[in-house]
Amino acid sequence: MATFRTRARTLDMLGRQQIAGIPTAISELFKNAHDAYADNVEIDYFRSDGLFVLRDDGVGMNKEDFETRWLTIGTESKFVSTRLPPHFPNKEKRPMLGEKGIGRLAVATIGPQLLVLSRAVGASDLITSFLNWSIFEWPGIDLEDINIPLRTISSGGLPTDKDVAEMVEEFRISAKTICHKVDHKLFNKLEIELDQFDIDPQDIDSYLKEPTLNKNRNGTHFIIKPTTPLLDEDIDGDPTGRKTFAVTSLKKALLGFSNTMTPDSRTVIKTAFRDYKTDELYDDLISGDEFFTPEEFKGADHRISGNFDPYGQFRGEISIFGETIPDHVITWSGNPGVHTKCGPFKIDFAAFEGEARHSTIPNEEHARIKIKAEQLGGLYIYRNGIRILPYGNTDFDWLDIEINRSKSAYYYYFSHRKMFGTIEIDADKNSLLVEKAGREGFQENKAYRQFRSILRNFFTQMAADFFRTEGLHSDIFDLKKTELSREHKARLAREKHIKERRKNFEEKLNDFFEKLNTDKPQEEVLALTERAETQLRITRSLTDKQLAAKKILELERVFQSEIRDLEETYLITRPRIPLRDMTLRDWGAYTSAFSTLHENVFSPARSIFEELIEEEVQKASISLNRQVRTEAALDGLGKQVQIKTKYSGNEVKKKATEVASNAREVASQSLKAVELEFREVMSDFQKMDLASLTDEGFIETRDKLETRILRVTEEKGELLRSIKEQLDAIEVNSNISTIEQLGAIEQRNLLLEEQAEADAQLAQLGMAIEIIDHEFSGTIRSIRTSLRKLKAWADINQGLEELYNNIRKSFDHLDGYLTLFTPLQRRLYRKEVEIHGYKIFAFLEELFRARLARHNISLTATKAFSSSRVLGYPSSFYPVFVNLVDNAIFWLSQQNPHQERKITLDENNGTLIVADTGPGVGIRDLDTIFEFGFSRKPGGRGMGLHIGRETLRRVGYDLYLIDGSGGAKFGLIPKAES
């Protein structure tokens, strides 16, 4: 054991005025880890007890490094580039990014006291020291009197909690020797802080794992407790939630610490900041997905990548909407032919259009990337792969990009909220770009002024060359943007058309099933048949047999016409548009139901009327000529068909004439527009004084005149080509029309979109269950332990046995719900048990007692169900019965109160049955009630039956609908018997 006596004024109020805040402080600690050649630096912050742990796997420190460098401000405490440790032969040389050791002062910004653990690379000894920064702020104290406990652990492992407690006590004793010089309140505050430092490094290492200092591993760890309340505020950000797109200052400072954004980037050091809301549940605040990714970079509308040479001239590759200009040059006129002070550097950034209709990025992805850019968009500066603050923060407009855009978005184009990327500099090549001591950007020297001037000129010229109408390469941007806008309008028009037709189609299906469920077709056919029968009977009073026969034939024609018209009111034609999966299922149910309706209602009605005619003919002794009768029937049908066909034919002719007229009009207007532009160009040409122009001026003028003609020609030509392609696509004699082909493609896309949405919901559900698992796992383990202890008491105390069984049953019910989505090994019952029917009934009766009484519903169990037994896990079966009874109660409660409201539990040949007297399951839903997400219940999630069936199938059972008419009847049946 040893102590280290501080040198006077070496800590000098810890120099905290040099640290702008906690985000900057942590960034400095990350830089220290970088300078120590760490591959990883990670933070774990446990809010529950204010514990902050920072770990890296760098070269570490020995006792001399710690005493003479780390604790002394103003000295270089790091290995300089020439002292790259021999144990790191495969590491590339890194420039030192930390500034004269101020990173160590960042620790004091996070919390008042610290345990340092460090082992130098190749060493076996670990040094550990405890410090409380509060004592260094005591006024009138000679800092030479402060002793800092320092120990060496030679076992290759970590110090124990006892070692830490002894160092804390040693620090306390040292403080007591000088506390008489200050107000006693300061010492009391110090003692309160010391009492809170109950740290066990070995315990912390056991649950944090890598990077570790155990087993002779190298690196440096900082353990801080308690943390300042400002840390929570920096993590959580605006407590009012008013700033929708706001990102916390901590995220702004730490995201993208190492360049992971550009496709060719190479991560220098991996960082993590885990914020533990509970001891097991955490958010990684700076995970890779939180920042821009190479995939997002590649998917942007535009990309600009290139190099600025020592003279400030840019040369690089520009991609606009995927069309590449490989060797674009932008000059800078601010340099008189000598090397710049700032030096050469690289730029690589992506930009996207603010409106989705002008962008090549898919709509949902565009919305997501737009929100991310609102939060984090901008240009980030990286020196040798490590970010320099505050560049990249949207509120630091160092290139006047937002100021210029506010003047004219068209003229300057670029915006932080529509771009993200990097500027890469090098410690050697750009050595005159020097950071300020407080990490607030570069010092305002000549190198920095040139640096800004070069980049400002670059962005202005980029906008001029590519994004202004008169620009050198603006035709690429203008034509593609126009094309995207046109496609967007066409897509919106198509979507509107599809939406209206789909809505109309779905309304027809709903109307059909509503009428079907109320027996409307049967009622209408019966009324029609009865009316025809009444009219037939009237013919009996006619004495003229010939007149009676004629009247009967007319009645037959009218009835056949009316029955056809009635049947056609239930005939629905599927539109040639994409249909949602639910609508497709309804369509399948409709085709089956209509076929049944035709066979069981309309065809029998015709037969009945035929029988009525035969009956009347026989009673009246009338003779009907079959030929005349058939001709009359065919004539009536023919007239109906002709009328409908004639109407459809006229509609087609009308539409064809309208399309032809519009096409001719567009063609005529396009020709006129081209001719008019040509005349205007020639008129302007006649007014020009070409003789006074230089050769360059003459060529530029001629190019502009040609561009005007070519632009309008291309625009109108594209319109005419589009119209011609549409006309060519009309194949009148084809069995498969273009509309059908388009509909097939759209149908597939819609189904894929719905499947993707369902998959996303399942993924979200999975994440939610993972959170539940984190939240409840510890509690569940604790309850299980307590239950085992209670069981021991219940075994010897009969009064506790019933209480234990009730608690165990309730716990199993809760655990059963949780374990529907989690591995089976987490069940309370480790083995299958006998589940008795009467116990299931008693459980359900108790659970739903209040709801059953409120809705006047009876729940009964047959003798067969009560005596039934199932071998299995209660958590697999109980939730299924709960869901079935819950659904039954809901639908029964919606019925007329005068109707019977009853739920029956039964058993038949091994099948457990849950039946109710509710409205049942409609014909359209028979095949869909078990699908994930399907529900007719208002606000229903559509998961219960699906999950119940899947759960039972995993344990050798199945759940199916036995009968859906006159109530719902579900069965739980062993698969072997199904």
Side-chain angles (χ1 to χ4, degrees), residues 794-806:
D795 288 342
I796 60 175
N797 190 330
Q798 292 183 351
L800 288 178
E801 185 176 3
E802 184 179 358
L803 175 64
Y804 165 76
N805 289 333
N806 289 336

Side-chain angles (χ1 to χ4, degrees), residues 158 200-210 212 214:
L158 300 170
D200 183 352
Q202 294 182 359
D203 182 49
I204 292 174
D205 183 76
S206 69
Y207 55 77
L208 289 186
K209 308 300 181 183
E210 300 290 341
T212 179
N214 209 354

Side-chain angles (χ1 to χ4, degrees), residues 498-513:
I498 289 174
K499 185 178 180 181
E500 291 174 352
R501 295 192 66 190
R502 184 188 292 140
K503 180 182 178 183
N504 181 260
F505 178 63
E506 290 173 350
E507 287 176 350
K508 287 181 179 179
L509 288 175
N510 289 332
D511 182 63
F512 171 84
F513 285 112

Side-chain angles (χ1 to χ4, degrees), residues 123 190 427 828:
L190 177 69
L828 177 62

Side-chain angles (χ1 to χ4, degrees), residues 114-184:
L114 159 76
L115 182 71
V116 181
L117 305 170
S118 191
R119 179 180 286 111
V121 62
S124 59
D125 291 347
L126 178 141
I127 62 102
T128 179
S129 178
F130 172 78
L131 304 87
N132 185 300
W133 308 108
S134 299
I135 197 171
F136 297 111
E137 298 178 357
W138 287 4
I141 292 297
D142 186 351
L143 300 180
E144 291 181 343
D145 294 333
I146 301 173
N147 293 330
I148 297 176
L150 177 65
R151 290 194 173 196
T152 300
I153 308 296
S154 302
S155 63
L158 300 170
T160 65
D161 55 343
K162 182 180 178 182
D163 294 328
V164 175
E166 289 177 355
M167 285 191 288
V168 172
E169 187 60 28
E170 184 179 342
F171 193 93
R172 190 196 308 268
I173 293 171
S174 174
K176 282 183 179 180
T177 61
I178 56 174
C179 68
H180 62 278
K181 300 180 181 180
V182 299
D183 190 323
H184 71 279

